[in-house]
């Protein structure tokens, strides 16, 4: 983390509603959010999973929408960041096969941060019909240095494996960005969506802030939770987007400035979230 006890980060999650087949329109909506975030002094902007393409894709649609991290579109967005803004967004990533035809596609997240090359992460844990379209990633989720500190990234279903946010925090993440598309599930009245509960638990367990950006609308019969939230390092929700739009039909947004105190993992005079761990006793295969 850069800075001392008073360090903080201004975050925004923009709950877009990507449209399958409308790559140009999706790109325009993303560019508007980047420009607005720069104008508003936001330091971390998180956008939904597969924001460039839409979610419920056929294999052919995914291949048609797939882009590589060095695509000119992403380079253009990187040039919009200014000095402080980092952007994390979901995209359909083309594999590395030579030639123009795309054979392998990944459900990926792209991290754009000032002054560095784009970083792509390929989702490790594929959900349901994603397994029919995408290839799972084979590399650990990244932790990248940003102007506000260490940023870890995972995607949607990844967050349901407690090892993921924990490992990112242990590797230096102060904040975890989670582009997501959460299908709407039944839950008791007054309760948070289960995925939000998992984000809160992960944040509290590791003293890390978590920004989850869900999507809005309905797509090919799938209703979405619209559960976008920003969770502080204490595990409490600092901001939610809710449902519906803002700005005359634009996306709902969650905004929060989250403190990142240096001592946040010392939870009492004698207890530390990391130093008190005893992984050799949890599973003989674990050594860290």
């Amino acid at each position: 983390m850069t800075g001392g006890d008073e360090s903080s980060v201004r975050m925004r999650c923009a709950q877009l509603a990507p449209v399958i087949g409308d790559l140009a329109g999706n790109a325009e909506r993303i560019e508007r959010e980047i420009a607005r975030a720069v104008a508003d002094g936001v330091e971390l902007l998180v956008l939904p999973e597969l924001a460039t393409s839409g979610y419920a894709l056929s294999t052919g649609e995914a291949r048609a929408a797939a882009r590589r991290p060095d695509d000119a579109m992403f380079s253009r967005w990187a040039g919009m960041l200014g000095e402080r803004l980092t952007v994390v967004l979901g995209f359909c990533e083309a594999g590395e096969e030579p030639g123009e035809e795309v054979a392998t596609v990944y459900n990926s997240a792209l991290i754009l941060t000032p002054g560095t090359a784009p970083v792509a992460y390929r989702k490790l844990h594929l959900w349901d019909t994603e397994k029919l379209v995408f290839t799972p990633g084979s590399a650990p989720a990244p932790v990248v240095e940003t102007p506000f500190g260490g940023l870890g990234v995972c995607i949607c279903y990844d967050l349901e494996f407690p090892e993921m946010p924990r490992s990112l925090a242990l590797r230096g993440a102060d904040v975890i960005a989670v582009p997501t598309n959460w299908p709407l599930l039944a839950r008791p009245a007054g309760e948070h969506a289960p995925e939000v509960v998992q984000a809160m638990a992960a944040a509290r367990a590791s003293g890390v802030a978590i920004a989850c950006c869900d999507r809005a609308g309905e797509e090919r019969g799938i209703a979405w939770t619209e559960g976008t939230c920003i969770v502080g390092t204490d595990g409490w929700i600092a901001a939610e987007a809710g449902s519906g739009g803002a700005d005359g039909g634009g996306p709902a947004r969650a905004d929060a400035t989250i403190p990142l105190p240096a001592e946040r993992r010392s939870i009492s005079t004698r207890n530390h979230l990391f130093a008190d761990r005893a992984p050799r006793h949890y599973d003989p295969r674990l050594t860290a």
Side-chain angles (χ1 to χ4, degrees):
M1 179 174 61
T2 57
D5 290 355
E6 300 305 316
S7 178
S8 63
V9 56
R10 184 172 181 182
M11 303 184 197
R12 171 175 293 166
C13 295
Q15 191 169 263
L16 302 176
V19 178
I20 291 174
D22 186 15
L23 300 183
N26 294 336
E28 289 178 7
R29 287 181 278 274
I30 290 168
E31 288 192 15
R32 283 198 297 268
E33 289 304 316
I34 294 173
R36 178 170 180 147
V38 171
D40 291 346
V42 173
E43 295 170 276
L44 173 64
L45 172 65
V46 186
L47 300 171
E49 180 179 12
L50 294 172
T52 61
S53 62
Y55 180 84
L57 301 160
S58 69
T59 298
E61 289 168 333
R63 290 175 177 173
R67 297 292 183 270
R68 292 185 171 87
D70 60 358
D71 190 90
M73 176 175 66
F74 299 139
S75 298
R76 183 172 69 250
W77 296 348
M80 298 173 60
L81 300 177
E83 297 181 356
R84 297 289 297 174
L85 178 64
T86 293
V87 177
V88 180
L89 63 105
F91 77 110
C92 190
E93 183 183 357
E96 299 167 356
E97 301 91 353
E100 296 299 320
E101 185 174 346
V102 174
T104 305
V105 288
Y106 300 93
N107 182 341
S108 296
L110 195 69
I111 304 100
L112 303 173
T113 198
T116 63
V119 175
Y121 160 63
R122 295 168 174 173
K123 187 176 183 180
L124 288 172
H125 306 94
L126 299 180
W127 171 256
D128 198 18
T129 56
E130 291 175 31
K131 295 184 177 184
L132 304 178
V133 176
F134 298 104
T135 297
S138 59
V143 177
V144 301
E145 282 304 313
T146 74
F148 57 79
L151 174 68
V153 175
C154 59
I155 302 171
C156 200
Y157 186 42
D158 284 335
L159 190 64
E160 300 197 31
F161 296 84
E163 299 90 341
M164 287 287 289
R166 173 68 99 183
S167 69
L168 290 167
L170 289 171
R171 288 189 283 123
D174 300 299
V175 177
I176 298 174
V178 190
T180 188
N181 285 180
W182 288 331
L184 182 63
L185 301 174
R187 60 181 185 267
E191 295 289 348
H192 292 296
E195 299 92 343
V196 174
V197 174
Q198 288 168 320
M200 295 170 68
R204 186 171 183 87
S206 292
V208 64
I210 299 181
C212 299
C213 190
D214 199 3
R215 64 157 292 164
E218 187 170 319
E219 184 183 73
R220 291 183 171 171
I222 304 172
W224 305 103
T225 299
E226 299 185 354
T228 293
C229 62
I230 296 172
V231 183
T233 61
D234 54 6
W236 297 114
I237 294 174
E240 296 177 281
S243 60
D247 300 335
R253 301 180 184 92
D255 284 273
T257 297
I258 300 296
L260 299 173
E263 75 284 355
R264 65 187 184 275
R265 286 160 181 149
S266 294
I267 55 174
S268 81
T269 56
R270 297 177 180 82
N271 294 103
H272 189 280
L273 290 173
F274 291 173
D276 287 350
R277 296 172 64 247
R280 67 187 182 278
H281 297 304
Y282 308 151
D283 187 318
R285 296 169 294 180
L286 297 177
T287 59

